[in-house]
Amino acid sequence: RTWMAALNIVFLVCYTLECAVRVFVQRKEWFAHGLNYVDAMVVLLGAVDLIMNANGSRHFNMLRLFRLVRIVLLLKAVRWAPALWSMVSGLVGALHAMSWGLILVVLLL
């Protein structure tokens, strides 16, 4: 559990720095793109989640759902690396085929 908490902090710091750098570089243009607001909301809710978990509060477990949004943001960055994108899309295709195989095995048993 401790390595996952540390990894969560590392990702939160990376997303925070990325968001801050984009605000600094884009300035007024940053407000014109809707995904920037999503990025900022993910960073803000991640920080709130981290603070609440540090205080021992378990009432904000719904905020953990916003971690899924981070995966979408990560996939947005993966598209910039063609080799990595082809590897991820191949993995998704393989998972799709394996799920159908699992359904067939369950139906046959």
Side-chain angles (χ1 to χ4, degrees):
R1 172 120 176 114
T2 58
W3 68 271
M4 287 181 67
L7 195 61
N8 184 34
I9 292 171
V10 168
F11 280 125
L12 183 62
V13 167
C14 289
Y15 285 129
T16 304
L17 288 175
E18 179 205 6
C19 195
V21 167
R22 272 194 287 132
V23 168
F24 180 74
V25 170
Q26 293 177 345
R27 302 198 192 270
K28 290 181 182 179
E29 292 176 22
W30 186 87
F31 296 99
H33 301 287
L35 281 179
N36 289 334
Y37 292 111
V38 174
D39 292 345
M41 186 61 81
V42 167
V43 168
L44 180 66
L45 291 174
V48 169
D49 184 43
L50 187 68
I51 291 168
M52 290 297 161
N53 285 335
N55 291 334
S57 175
R58 296 290 178 199
H59 298 292
F60 290 92
N61 283 335
M62 283 298 282
L63 293 178
R64 292 176 190 244
L65 291 176
F66 284 97
R67 289 183 185 171
L68 294 176
V69 177
R70 291 185 198 174
I71 295 171
V72 172
L73 298 176
L74 186 62
L75 287 176
K76 184 177 73 170
V78 167
R79 284 184 172 251
W80 291 42
L84 190 56
W85 176 249
S86 65
M87 189 172 69
V88 169
S89 62
L91 177 66
V92 169
L95 288 174
H96 182 71
M98 286 189 292
S99 65
W100 281 110
L102 178 65
I103 289 171
L104 283 174
V105 168
V106 168
L107 288 175
L108 292 175
L109 292 178

